[in-house]
Amino acid sequence: MPLTVGGLDRAAYLESATAFLVGLRHSGHDPRTLPPPFHVVTA
């Protein structure tokens, strides 16, 4: 399901955050514990 998060000027932030969360997952951490819950961000 696509999620609108802003224009292309925000793409670098989204890519960096994704790489960071994938790195956490790969190292054995639970990346779901770091970012705020989705309902808080979209409220």
Side-chain angles (χ1 to χ4, degrees):
M1 176 163 108
L3 176 66
T4 302
V5 294
L8 288 177
D9 58 324
R10 304 242 182 222
Y13 298 117
L14 182 59
E15 290 175 3
S16 297
T18 301
F20 179 71
L21 294 174
V22 167
L24 282 177
R25 178 72 175 144
H26 184 67
S27 65
H29 294 88
D30 185 2
R32 292 174 292 176
T33 62
L34 182 65
F38 183 74
H39 71 277
V40 172
V41 177
T42 57

